[in-house]
Amino acid sequence: MSDKIKFTIDDVEIEAEAGQTILQAADAAGVYIPRLCANKNLTPHGSCRVCTVKVNGRSQAACTQPVAPGINVESESEEIKAYRKSLVEMLFVEGNHYCMFCEKSGNCELQAVAYRLGIDAPKHEYLFPSRDVDASHPEIFIDRNRCILCGRCVRASKELDGKNVFQFVGRGIHKKVAVNSDAKLSDTELAGVDMAVSSCPVGAILRKRVGFAIPVGQRLYDAKPIGSDIEASRTDK
Amino acid sequence: MTANKITIEPVTRVEGHGKVTIHLDDNKQVTDAKLHIVEFRGFERFIQGRPFWEVPVTIQRLCGICPVSHHLAAAKAMDIIVGVDKLTPTAEKMRRLMHYGQMYQSHALHFFHLCSPDLLFGFDADVAIRNVVGVAAKYPELAVQGVMMRKYGQEIIKATAGKKIHGTGAIPGGINKNLSIAERDEFLKDLDQQMEWAKGALKIAKDYTVENIGLAKEFANFESSHLSLIREDGAMDLYHGNLRAIDKDGNKIFDQVDYQGYHNYIAEEVRDWSYMKFPFIKSIGNEDGWYRVGPLSRVNTADFIDTPMAEEARKEFMAVTDGKPNNLTLAYHWARMIELLHSAEKIKELLNDADLQGEDLVVKGHRREEGVGLIEAPRGTLFHHYKVNEDDQVTMCNLIVSTTSNNEPMNRAVASVAKKYLSGVEITEGLLNHVEVAIRAYDPCLSCATHALGRMPLEVSVIDDSGNVLDRKSTR
């Protein structure tokens, strides 16, 4: 029991295991911190910054920052919530995110986090980038219009599927997810069952011919907001 | 020399944005009048490259008034694409219920909110009361009925499509949900009241037409061919059937045509002054091959209606023209209310069918490259035609929407009314409204017709021989 590390998130005392990140410890304690690039099965990436918290007054990504005894973590302050909201608002205009006819709507983490953060209308001017789709694979459809560059597919393909199908190329606004072939997705060894496919939080990598099979009302985030599953395990309520 | 052109812009109480121009000569005689659709959209182009299973949800975004029609027409085309020629009973009946809910709410909206001010107050009544607020003030019961009937239809759409507007229910090869017992019982509870209101609305439309038959025979009246889907036994069928076209006397131009080959029978012409195309029957040619669609045409083409009250109403309707096709533009309202009652009867029939609680929702088949889906939308026959490549992406899309088919008829109606009522007289707002009344009879959806994105309204101009605008009516 002496291995437990105690710290606070928004003044609530949390017990963590040594080596856990703040995000892992918060999840275990039933405290939801919004995130997009983080996934419990993947190595932390720290790129989307949506899980930003203040640790003893300094901004850190909760998904990469290890817990330490006695730290004060600030997560749900107005200042932090405003930061997160701004980050997600920028993601929405950087790509072409048309929730109204996207088949991922209702099951999309970007959309769900936006609702959770209280974003109900676009704030910034759309950039309308010209992005491509790759429909060449018999089972998988890639729509880069909806990619948020979270890198989950890159990590899942490497760490879980052992294939390394996806990789980032380009810099800045020109950065995109490429596939490890000269031409198209069908030339890679990607399979429909790969974790790289199911790890996509948005509608960028989709299994073909699924579409709108799940009716409105039965989708993942129709009944409860994202993070509700984590909060359900909270013990100090 | 005085040059005269009147512009009515926007035309009001229609769905979408358009304008009317009326040309006058030196003696103030109307020489020409046209309905221009000034929106441009482009859904046929930007759907290219999208995956086919997304199409029924994406393409319906070209309209917020009857998106269910586009949703279902696209889904029917995608059924063909996924190699499915017959849906499960649950899937087909759920889609039909969605469609009759749509027909019910759309017809109620048009009758009570868009056209009733003209019928209740007169075409040239004070514009301050000739609107839906005026109807609510003088006929509060009717205004409430209109709202409640629309709500009922919208709730049916929500229960079948998932949302009242732009739902996701119909998917290639079937439907994504059935109707729960609780949902069914909720609709059954209000059904009798709805049926009474539908009968009441039919009576208003019928009585108006019969009492004003003299006006109806001279107002925007012209003979035309009519086109609709028809069931194999000749019954009216708003969801599915084969194509039937009849001429002004009721002779069949073609009958029981499988719509997968519609392009062998129908073609479209582009004219430089409107974003809306002009479809025509190929065998007759582009000059005289134009035809009408919608409630008037459907009642004219049907041998019978398979629900008792609507069939009785159809017989009364056809008796006015001795069983021959009714070509009166103002009779659209009566025909529309016959369909409103028919939709209510069909909703009742479906709600009492246990197939709606079935669990078998989707059928799978072998992929095809091309598919056509047709449906009778509230405003008439709606055509969706797609080609899909081996990577599942749409490569071609052609849409002929109901209002497009009624393009030439609406232009004829506008020209007829302008010549009859505006020639050689002092133009007043009330007289210009006659032009709009003629357009409104067709319940056009101008947004759909150009597959357009943009602002709403419609505008009527009076232009002289030199092209100068003399007068213009616009609410902007």
Side-chain angles (χ1 to χ4, degrees):
Chain A
M1 295 301 284
S2 58
D3 290 343
K4 294 282 186 190
I5 292 173
K6 290 184 178 176
F7 70 103
T8 60
I9 300 180
D10 295 331
D11 299 327
V12 175
E13 190 172 86
I14 306 284
E15 278 195 350
E17 306 286 340
Q20 278 186 319
T21 63
I22 293 173
L23 190 75
Q24 287 167 338
D27 283 358
V31 175
Y32 173 69
I33 299 173
R35 82 291 305 262
L36 284 170
C37 73
N39 178 285
K40 62 182 178 184
N41 299 316
L42 300 171
T43 305
H45 196 234
S47 62
C48 78
R49 315 307 283 188
V50 171
C51 70
T52 293
V53 291
K54 279 203 170 177
V55 180
N56 293 343
R58 294 181 62 182
S59 295
Q60 303 284 357
C63 70
T64 53
Q65 184 68 21
V67 294
I71 55 172
N72 291 313
V73 177
E74 196 185 310
S75 176
E76 289 294 306
S77 67
E78 292 308 313
E79 183 189 7
I80 295 288
K81 285 196 287 188
Y83 283 154
R84 290 175 184 153
K85 203 171 167 182
S86 288
L87 288 168
V88 175
E89 280 167 341
M90 287 190 281
L91 284 176
F92 268 99
V93 298
E94 190 185 74
N96 297 309
H97 298 279
Y98 299 107
C99 298
M100 71 285 272
F101 56 80
C102 176
E103 62 190 86
K104 193 82 173 193
S105 187
N107 296 310
C108 171
E109 291 182 36
L110 176 66
Q111 183 192 47
V113 166
Y115 280 135
R116 170 115 193 186
L117 296 175
I119 300 171
D120 45 20
K123 183 178 175 187
H124 306 292
E125 199 170 329
Y126 286 104
L127 299 183
F128 295 122
S130 179
R131 304 234 186 119
D132 57 4
V133 300
D134 186 338
S136 62
H137 195 284
E139 296 174 68
I140 310 298
F141 183 84
I142 294 186
D143 186 344
R144 291 190 174 85
N145 290 291
R146 301 165 180 165
C147 181
I148 57 170
L149 301 174
C150 67
R152 282 205 210 168
C153 57
V154 175
R155 284 172 284 154
S157 185
K158 185 176 179 182
E159 297 169 14
L160 305 178
D161 302 329
K163 291 183 177 175
N164 220 6
V165 170
F166 298 104
Q167 195 52 263
F168 286 122
V169 295
R171 309 280 289 176
I173 197 74
H174 304 294
K175 186 174 179 178
K176 68 172 196 170
V177 171
V179 296
N180 66 349
S181 83
D182 291 337
K184 49 197 181 180
L185 192 64
S186 57
D187 298 330
T188 71
E189 53 184 336
L190 184 72
V193 295
D194 284 358
M195 296 301 288
V197 176
S198 52
S199 67
C200 180
V202 293
I205 306 178
L206 297 161
R207 290 206 168 84
K208 279 187 165 182
R209 297 175 287 280
V210 173
F212 298 87
I214 303 174
V216 175
Q218 294 175 29
R219 301 170 304 182
L220 205 51
Y221 305 116
D222 279 340
K224 291 181 179 173
I226 191 167
S228 299
D229 52 340
I230 291 169
E231 290 169 325
S233 65
R234 187 160 177 169
T235 50
D236 71 321
K237 287 177 283 190
Chain B
M1 176 171 159
T2 331
N4 297 322
K5 173 179 169 182
I6 301 176
T7 302
I8 303 179
E9 182 175 16
V11 175
T12 56
R13 284 189 275 130
V14 297
E15 313 290 3
H17 189 159
K19 68 174 182 179
V20 170
T21 54
I22 300 162
H23 295 254
L24 304 176
D25 64 13
D26 290 348
N27 300 318
K28 291 191 174 179
Q29 297 298 308
V30 173
T31 55
D32 194 14
K34 284 192 174 80
L35 168 65
H36 307 253
I37 309 304
V38 293
E39 294 171 287
F40 178 72
R41 297 171 62 126
F43 274 75
E44 288 173 344
R45 179 63 188 86
F46 64 64
I47 199 69
Q48 290 176 23
R50 300 309 306 170
F52 74 80
W53 55 86
E54 184 186 281
V55 173
V57 171
T58 308
I59 204 81
Q60 66 177 333
R61 289 270 165 185
L62 68 83
C63 188
I65 308 301
C66 61
V68 168
S69 308
H70 292 285
H71 181 55
L72 290 175
K76 289 177 79 176
M78 293 312 148
D79 294 342
I80 303 298
I81 293 289
V82 297
V84 173
D85 295 321
K86 189 168 175 56
L87 301 179
T88 66
T90 303
E92 174 162 339
K93 287 172 184 174
M94 282 294 286
R95 285 192 190 179
R96 279 182 177 272
L97 182 61
M98 192 194 303
H99 188 49
Y100 290 118
Q102 151 80 5
M103 194 66 79
Y104 190 73
Q105 70 87 13
S106 177
H107 280 359
L109 165 70
H110 179 261
F111 186 71
F112 287 96
H113 299 162
L114 302 184
C115 88
S116 77
D118 298 323
L119 308 189
L120 295 172
F121 297 120
F123 299 175
D124 51 5
D126 180 2
V127 70
I129 60 155
R130 194 195 336 119
N131 54 55
V132 71
V133 178
V135 173
K138 189 161 182 200
Y139 305 96
E141 281 183 16
L142 281 184
V144 169
Q145 280 176 26
V147 171
M148 297 308 286
M149 290 168 83
R150 181 137 197 266
K151 180 173 189 281
Y152 190 78
Q154 293 281 39
E155 293 292 347
I156 286 180
I157 294 169
K158 186 182 175 189
T160 48
K163 290 161 67 183
K164 288 177 186 171
I165 302 173
H166 301 139
T168 64
I171 56 178
I175 194 92
N176 67 13
K177 76 182 287 280
N178 65 7
L179 193 75
S180 71
I181 297 283
E183 287 169 326
R184 181 199 67 185
D185 290 348
E186 196 60 33
F187 292 124
L188 283 171
K189 194 158 57 77
D190 296 332
L191 188 61
D192 289 343
Q193 177 64 77
Q194 293 292 331
M195 201 72 82
E196 288 308 307
W197 287 340
K199 283 195 272 188
L202 170 62
K203 185 172 183 327
I204 294 171
K206 178 192 149 190
D207 291 350
Y208 176 83
T209 317
V210 172
E211 286 163 16
N212 295 279
I213 195 69
L215 170 69
K217 283 183 176 169
E218 66 174 30
F219 184 83
N221 187 25
F222 51 88
E223 293 175 326
S224 76
S225 304
H226 297 273
L227 177 105
S228 81
L229 289 176
I230 203 82
R231 208 165 71 182
E232 283 182 0
D233 60 359
M236 173 187 280
D237 194 330
L238 302 175
Y239 176 76
H240 191 63
N242 295 316
L243 281 169
R244 170 181 284 181
I246 59 170
D247 67 16
K248 61 182 174 58
D249 299 314
N251 301 311
K252 294 185 178 70
I253 302 168
F254 51 75
D255 194 19
Q256 298 297 350
V257 166
D258 177 357
Y259 61 64
Q260 294 303 320
Y262 79 93
H263 42 279
N264 296 320
Y265 296 84
I266 305 284
E268 291 177 283
E269 184 191 4
V270 175
R271 295 182 195 169
D272 60 6
W273 49 270
S274 178
Y275 280 128
M276 188 156 63
K277 292 190 272 189
F278 288 78
F280 60 92
I281 294 168
K282 274 185 167 180
S283 64
I284 304 178
N286 61 348
E287 274 298 306
D288 300 316
W290 57 278
Y291 54 89
R292 281 192 275 197
V293 297
L296 182 73
S297 300
R298 289 189 289 247
V299 175
N300 279 332
T301 54
D303 296 334
F304 67 100
I305 298 177
D306 68 346
T307 55
M309 287 188 283
E311 171 60 5
E312 193 184 321
R314 187 196 69 86
K315 285 178 178 164
E316 286 176 348
F317 181 90
M318 296 308 290
V320 170
T321 47
D322 300 323
K324 291 283 183 190
N326 185 324
N327 284 303
L328 308 179
T329 289
L330 281 180
Y332 259 99
H333 300 300
W334 185 1
R336 193 171 285 117
M337 291 303 97
I338 294 174
E339 290 188 345
L340 178 87
L341 183 59
H342 173 60
S343 299
E345 289 182 290
K346 279 291 187 187
I347 289 168
K348 183 176 186 177
E349 193 179 299
L350 285 163
L351 289 176
N352 288 297
D353 190 328
D355 278 344
L356 286 182
Q357 281 77 50
E359 303 280 346
D360 197 3
L361 304 181
V362 182
V363 182
K364 291 193 169 143
H366 295 290
R367 261 291 309 278
R368 295 173 179 143
E369 292 179 350
E370 189 169 359
V372 178
L374 261 67
I375 199 161
E376 283 298 330
R379 293 155 184 83
T381 317
L382 171 64
F383 300 67
H384 276 221
H385 180 189
Y386 302 93
K387 287 182 184 169
V388 177
N389 67 18
E390 59 182 15
D391 288 339
D392 297 330
Q393 293 171 287
V394 173
T395 56
M396 188 286 290
C397 165
N398 185 41
L399 311 173
I400 308 176
V401 305
S402 329
T403 296
T404 311
S405 290
N406 277 336
N407 197 359
E408 178 70 30
M410 284 191 294
N411 271 286
R412 296 216 170 213
V414 163
S416 159
V417 169
K419 283 176 184 166
K420 183 167 183 63
Y421 293 94
L422 304 182
S423 278
V425 297
E426 191 64 34
I427 309 284
T428 64
E429 187 280 334
L431 282 173
L432 287 179
N433 185 50
H434 284 59
V435 175
E436 296 188 80
V437 168
I439 297 168
R440 268 178 222 128
Y442 291 85
D443 187 14
C445 183
L446 308 179
S447 317
C448 280
T450 54
H451 327 320
L453 268 173
R455 291 178 302 170
M456 290 291 278
L458 218 161
E459 75 177 36
V460 181
S461 321
V462 182
I463 314 171
D464 74 17
D465 307 7
S466 313
N468 301 315
V469 177
L470 196 92
D471 198 0
R472 170 177 293 191
K473 183 184 169 222
S474 167
T475 54
R476 283 185 300 177

